[in-house]
Each structure stands twice: as structure tokens, then as C-alpha cells.
């Protein structure tokens, strides 16, 4: 009887923890943007991967802007090489977008290094890229 009570208590505690802290919500079940969820996946170390190969070129910038990966790349600022490495590793695209955006990042970095823009302007331009 004690075992049944003990197991019942554990189940109640687990349900409580799940309802309060959402411990059963696995990362791979949440999507950054419901309209673009088909473009997201996770690698073996649970990093989000954005796969744009099947998207139309004109949609890729919208999908990128809805992505949380852009914030992860920006978290590495001002370590420029690391930013580009994260971008290259986490975005898959066989079209023009990936190369164009990488060139845009390099141009922004050059402007920042030359002192033409400050950190705030860099981040604002990074998060609001022109249509590429």
C-alpha cells in the first residue's frame, strides 16, 4: 500500500512540474514560426538548422527574419569569424540567399571595423537586412 501511495505522489509531483515548468515540452517540438516550421530541424547536438533549399528565393528573407538563428548569430558579436561560422553551419541553402546574406554580413562587419557604424547600428542593420 505504501508503494502505491508513493508512486501516486510521484505522479502528482510530475504532473505539477509539467504544468508549471513545461518539462515535457521537448525543444524539437517547438517551432520558431508556425508558418515556416517546415524549414526548421535540429542537428544531433540540438542546434536549430534552417534549411532554405526548398523555399522560393523571394521567401527566404522572410523565413530568415522569422528565425531565432539570427539572434544566435548576433549573440557572438563582435567576434566576426564566429558569427560567420555559426551562420554557415546553421543555414542550409543551395540558392543565392545564403551567399548574398553572408556578403551582407561581411560588408556590415567591414563598416563596423572602419568605424562607419557603431554596435547599435550594426545590430539594427543585421536584424533588418534589405531585400537580397
Amino acid at each position: 500500500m505504501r508503494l502505491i501511495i508513493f508512486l501516486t505522489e510521484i505522479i502528482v509531483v510530475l504532473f505539477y512540474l509539467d504544468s508549471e515548468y513545461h518539462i515535457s515540452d521537448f525543444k524539437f517540438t517547438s517551432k520558431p514560426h508556425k508558418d515556416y516550421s517546415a524549414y526548421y530541424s535540429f542537428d544531433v547536438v540540438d542546434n536549430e538548422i534552417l534549411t532554405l533549399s526548398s523555399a522560393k528565393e523571394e521567401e527566404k528573407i522572410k523565413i530568415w527574419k522569422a528565425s531565432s538563428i539570427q539572434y544566435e548569430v548576433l549573440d557572438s558579436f563582435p567576434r566576426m569569424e564566429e558569427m560567420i561560422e555559426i551562420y554557415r553551419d546553421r543555414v542550409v541553402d543551395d540558392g543565392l540567399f545564403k551567399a548574398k546574406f553572408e556578403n551582407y554580413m561581411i560588408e556590415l562587419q567591414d563598416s563596423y571595423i572602419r568605424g562607419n557604424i557603431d554596435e547599435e547600428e550594426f545590430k539594427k542593420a543585421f536584424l533588418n537586412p534589405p531585400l537580397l
Side-chain angles (χ1 to χ4, degrees), residues 5 10 14 32 50 53-55 70 72-75 77 83-84 90 93 96-97 99 107-109 113 118 120:
I5 293 173
I10 288 177
L14 288 175
L50 181 61
S53 301
S54 63
Q70 66 179 337
E72 292 178 45
V73 171
L74 201 53
D75 283 344
F77 181 84
M83 290 175 68
I84 290 176
R90 307 282 292 285
D93 182 26
L96 299 173
F97 174 78
E107 289 173 14
L108 278 178
Q109 293 168 353
I113 290 168
D118 62 12
E120 185 177 318

Side-chain angles (χ1 to χ4, degrees), residues 86-99:
I86 293 169
Y87 176 76
R88 286 179 182 163
D89 289 343
R90 307 282 292 285
V91 177
V92 177
D93 182 26
D94 56 4
L96 299 173
F97 174 78
K98 185 173 181 177

Side-chain angles (χ1 to χ4, degrees), residues 45-62:
V45 290
D46 220 18
N47 288 325
E48 187 175 289
I49 304 295
L50 181 61
T51 305
L52 299 173
S53 301
S54 63
K56 297 177 185 175
E57 285 296 321
E58 60 271 7
E59 289 290 312
K60 291 179 180 181
I61 190 71
K62 294 176 187 174

Side-chain angles (χ1 to χ4, degrees), residues 14-68:
L14 288 175
F15 277 121
Y16 171 76
L17 289 173
D18 184 47
S19 68
E20 288 295 314
Y21 301 104
H22 308 290
I23 60 173
S24 69
D25 290 343
F26 296 109
K27 187 174 180 182
F28 61 85
T29 61
S30 63
K31 302 297 179 191
H33 194 284
K34 66 179 181 179
D35 295 333
Y36 303 125
S37 62
Y39 301 104
Y40 295 93
S41 61
F42 293 90
D43 64 11
V44 294
V45 290
D46 220 18
N47 288 325
E48 187 175 289
I49 304 295
L50 181 61
T51 305
L52 299 173
S53 301
S54 63
K56 297 177 185 175
E57 285 296 321
E58 60 271 7
E59 289 290 312
K60 291 179 180 181
I61 190 71
K62 294 176 187 174
I63 297 167
W64 169 253
K65 284 184 172 184
S67 169
S68 63

